Amino acid sequence: MSPQPRTPKRLLIAGAVATLVASSACAADDGGEAAPLPAASPGSTMPFDLYLGQDVTFILYAERQLQASCMEDAGYPQFVDTGDRLGENMFADLVKPPFRPRTEDEARANGFHGPVPGAPAPVVSFDVGFDRALDACRARGERTLGTSRDLLATYVEQLGNSLNREIWQKLQPVEVKTADRLLDCLAAKGFEPDSRDAYKKDPNPHERFDVPLGAYEPEAPRWKPRRKPGTVAVGPPDPDRRYVPTEGESRLAVAMVRCRKETGFFTEIDRVNREAQQKIVEDHAVEFGELNPKIKAAAKRAAKALDG
């Protein structure tokens, strides 16, 4: 795993969206009047804050809670005690500063990685009755919240992935353009890559500087369901895990932070990031204008459903 994606990460609704659903929303026609952007939420600091990732996270959590209750009523309590919880924004990487770590303390503690949140216990069905009940409960939850696979797939798989892909298309050339200055600085601090040309093509510190990887603790549980017809298997939940870097990784990460500051890389990348985000959200104003009100309405219904 590298400190930032060499290719953009794909945003996913885990286990919920099976197919990409095309949206009728599209950018304004060339020559036409630009569509107005919806108002940003209070406290927004970056253009991508317009993307309602926290609301989508909450909607998906509410869907799972309604599903668990519905399935328990149908005689299938397996989802009730899976350790599910409302986590942080699943899409926070869209608005976090790129190219982390950003501080020496963060570099020493985490190297080029960060903590990984836990996940609920997996539920795997080999029971046709369970599957039918699950389909019915999912449909019931969607009616309650006024959501659909189409809405969430369009918002995440189409709009979210477009934002993510397009911003990295603007950021990665800056990394390449400034690579020589950064590598000169790192060399002065005792770190020389195996190949400067290779680093420019794939700036992966572990591979280019031959730095050993650390490990996540505790280890994720290993589990394989027993495939027995007519049964439903429940595995162990994934615990929250923290990354423990090697000493060499921490030293390189600290040097990287210092050099990115000294060479002005952070200043340049943050400027490009803000300007590019603004242009990208303007390019997607029609999608934001169509989809954000639907996502906000669904989040309000989700809060009401859970309170009830």
Side-chain angles (χ1 to χ4, degrees), residues 204-242:
N204 187 318
H206 296 299
E207 293 182 6
R208 300 281 71 85
F209 291 90
D210 194 27
V211 173
L213 282 165
Y216 280 99
E217 296 181 356
E219 290 186 5
R222 298 180 180 181
W223 175 75
K224 182 180 293 187
R226 182 184 176 192
R227 304 179 65 88
K228 182 178 179 182
T231 65
V232 179
V234 180
D238 279 352
D240 293 333
R241 290 180 288 154
R242 69 185 187 96

Side-chain angles (χ1 to χ4, degrees), residues 173-185:
V174 178
E175 185 181 25
V176 173
K177 183 181 71 174
T178 59
D180 282 323
R181 295 202 308 268
L182 177 70
L183 291 172
D184 287 344
C185 177

Side-chain angles (χ1 to χ4, degrees), residues 19 31 55 83 99 149 179:
T19 58
D55 283 346
F99 296 92
R149 293 302 93 187

Side-chain angles (χ1 to χ4, degrees), residues 13 20 24 38 42 44 69 77 81-82 84 103 109 117 125 143 195 224 230 233 257 279-280 298:
I13 301 176
L20 175 63
S24 61
S44 297
S69 177
D81 296 318
T82 60
D84 195 8
T103 69
S125 169
R143 290 194 300 271
S195 166
K224 182 180 293 187
V257 169
K279 177 63 166 58
I280 291 167

